[in-house]
Amino acid sequence: AEPEPRIAGDDPLLEVMDWGAASIAGAPGAPDRLIAQARALLSRRTDHEAVAVLAEVASLALARTGRNAELSELSETISDLAHEVAADVVPALLIARASYRSRSDLVGSIALARDALSLAEEWDLHHHRPFALAIATIGEASVDGPEAASMSQAMRSYGIPVALAVADYADALVHYGRGEYAEAFTILDRLHDRSPREVSFGFYWHHDLVDIALRMEDRPRAEAVARDLEAVTASTRSPWVEAALHRAQGLLAVERTAAEQQLERSIILFSEHGYDVSAARVRLELGERLRRDRQRSSARLHIELARHALAAAGARRWVERCEREAIAVGLAPLQTASPAASLLTARELQVARWLVAGFTFKQIGTRLFLSPRTAEAHGQTVYRKLGVRGRAELAQMATRDPTLVAPEG
């Protein structure tokens, strides 16, 4: 049944706020109603209040629900208006984009979040800073970036429970990616025992704790955490949480067919909703399971798909794990040495990816909230650092360096 808005009347501003909240809560049909009301609002009002609601409510809700095409359309429209009437909403737009990009492109997400963080600090928009910092912190930890530790510490400086939980999760992700399971287990197990009211995003890490507990040969703990995740799934409509539960159940399954079915279902759900990094990690785990069950041909397919997706996302530690599995099933090593990853900053790499994709400097400037001339200066820096003479040579380099190709989505 179609959800009913909590706020009566035909004021599109109020309805955008209402349908935005309903979309985040997972109400069926709510994103479509949100999009319709956002368009209605734009047709009637382009003042500061309207643009702010569209940026801070509609854009974030569309990012959370995976409506990337509509998010792109809306954010580009708002970007033009923001320069005229509401420049202070730009960080919210960048946070929305960063949130969505984190599903498939960790490098791009980090760059967007860092831009949002810089603008929030420059303009004293303190309410945006923790959200931008949280996305950047989790992103840096996911790629085991050089600033993962300093960002985690900055997150801790807020002192509130959810900020401390984000920092703990980031620290655990670094250990997890490196294969330091004892350290990751200690952090996540402690986080799991804290009050759910203090750790409102808890379900984001339950399935990782299941995997880590199994690797630590603590099956009872893994089963207990999976039961908690099952309870969360029963109380939410989030496809992400359902996919995470299938992953946990697949990892726990002893019987081969049951394990494969659960992991395959997890991959499908993650993929359908644009969570390409999560889907790739589960593909790797399915490949590992298939290899152990002596189904080398099927294992190769999943491992190959996983390592290309993870390389494109910038998750280098997970690519290293893929490579170990690839060797075990007879695949040739992936050429992972990346001049782009080692020479370019996160922002420059994002610009390079847009250049490879064919965007003009004007289009890149719109996405960065810069003039075309400044965007072109970034492009020239990319060319100089990589030793190429223009777009054509950059595109040719991208055929050998997967990090220069942005993941779809």
Side-chain angles (χ1 to χ4, degrees), residues 59 62-63 67-76 96-97 100:
S59 293
L62 291 175
R67 301 296 289 266
N68 193 39
E70 292 89 347
L71 171 62
S72 244
E73 174 192 340
L74 179 64
S75 63
E76 291 208 15
R97 292 177 183 174
Y100 184 83

Side-chain angles (χ1 to χ4, degrees), residues 158-170:
Y158 284 99
I160 60 176
V162 69
L164 297 174
V166 169
D168 281 344
Y169 181 47

